Amino acid sequence: MTPPTTRTWARRGHTPLIRVRGRSQRRFSIAALACYKQGEPSRLIYRPKRHIDHKRGGRRSFAWTDYRDLLIAAHQQLGAPIVLVWDNLNVHKDARLQEFIDTHDWVICYFLPAYAPDLNPVEGIWSLLRRSSQANTAFADPDHLMRTLRHGLREIQYRSKLIDGCLAETGLTLTTSRQQGQ
C-alpha cells in the first residue's frame, strides 16, 4: 500500500518527489462492515488478513469463506439480524456465498448499483484510514503496516460519530419496513 502524502514542502519552483521503496504486492486485505442500528452507537466490525503465500501465486484477496466467517462473527457480536448492503465485488456475488446468505434467515442482502462507491459508507472508512494513520508514513516492514492499520481502525471503531458521518456522506438514510412499537 503506497502511503498517501498529506503535507510536504519544497523550494519554490521545485516539485517535490517522494520515492517509495518497492511496489505493491497485495500482502494484506481488510474487510469491514459499518453497522447501524436505530438508537445505538454505530459499530465497525473488521477483519484484516495477511496473505503469506502471495509471491507463489496464492490468493491475494478474501475468499468467500472469509466473508462468510465475517458475517457469522458480526451476527454473533450484534445479536441481531443483518441487512447487508454490498458493492458488486465479484466475491460478494460468489454463488457459494449467495447460497449461504439464502439459507440463513438472519441475513438479507442487497447490492449497490454498479460503480457507485459514493453510496458505500465503508469507502468513507477507507478514506479516513488513509488520511489519518497512514498519511506521511513509510512503513518499515509488513508488521509495522499491520500494527498501524489495526490502530487506525480501532481509533475509528471507538468513534461512532465518524462511522455515522460516513453514512451521512452517502446521502442514504436508515429506514425499516417493519412497524416500530411505541
Side-chain angles (χ1 to χ4, degrees), residues 49-88:
K49 182 174 182 172
R50 183 172 182 177
H51 306 290
I52 304 297
D53 60 349
H54 69 282
K55 288 185 179 179
R56 291 181 295 221
R59 189 168 185 93
R60 289 184 270 181
S61 62
F62 275 84
W64 77 272
T65 53
D66 298 318
Y67 286 105
R68 177 200 62 200
D69 296 343
L70 176 62
L71 289 173
I72 291 170
H75 176 61
Q76 290 173 348
Q77 190 174 352
L78 297 169
I82 296 173
V83 177
L84 189 62
V85 180
W86 258 347
D87 58 13
N88 289 291

Side-chain angles (χ1 to χ4, degrees), residues 26-166:
R26 302 276 327 240
R27 295 180 189 180
F28 299 99
S29 294
I30 304 171
L33 297 174
C35 305
Y36 305 95
K37 188 174 181 181
Q38 212 77 26
E40 290 188 14
S42 299
R43 290 183 174 178
L44 178 67
I45 299 174
Y46 64 91
R47 294 290 181 271
K49 182 174 182 172
R50 183 172 182 177
H51 306 290
I52 304 297
D53 60 349
H54 69 282
K55 288 185 179 179
R56 291 181 295 221
R59 189 168 185 93
R60 289 184 270 181
S61 62
F62 275 84
W64 77 272
T65 53
D66 298 318
Y67 286 105
R68 177 200 62 200
D69 296 343
L70 176 62
L71 289 173
I72 291 170
H75 176 61
Q76 290 173 348
Q77 190 174 352
L78 297 169
I82 296 173
V83 177
L84 189 62
V85 180
W86 258 347
D87 58 13
N88 289 291
L89 186 66
N90 59 355
V91 179
H92 294 167
K93 294 200 167 215
D94 188 292
R96 296 166 291 187
L97 185 57
Q98 287 304 307
E99 181 182 337
F100 170 79
I101 290 170
D102 292 342
T103 57
H104 291 82
D105 60 348
W106 50 264
V107 62
I108 300 169
C109 183
Y110 296 100
F111 287 94
L112 291 170
Y115 305 107
D118 51 321
L119 296 177
N120 190 347
V122 176
E123 294 295 336
I125 302 292
W126 301 143
S127 177
L128 287 171
L129 185 63
R130 287 184 65 88
R131 289 182 292 145
S132 61
S133 65
Q134 290 188 310
N136 291 335
T137 306
F139 300 104
D141 56 24
D143 292 329
H144 179 214
L145 172 60
M146 184 58 89
R147 280 192 313 273
T148 305
L149 288 172
R150 285 182 186 270
H151 178 72
L153 285 167
R154 219 172 298 121
E155 282 184 354
I156 295 169
Q157 194 175 34
Y158 291 136
R159 296 180 178 147
S160 63
K161 296 291 185 196
L162 289 177
I163 303 168
D164 290 341
C166 291

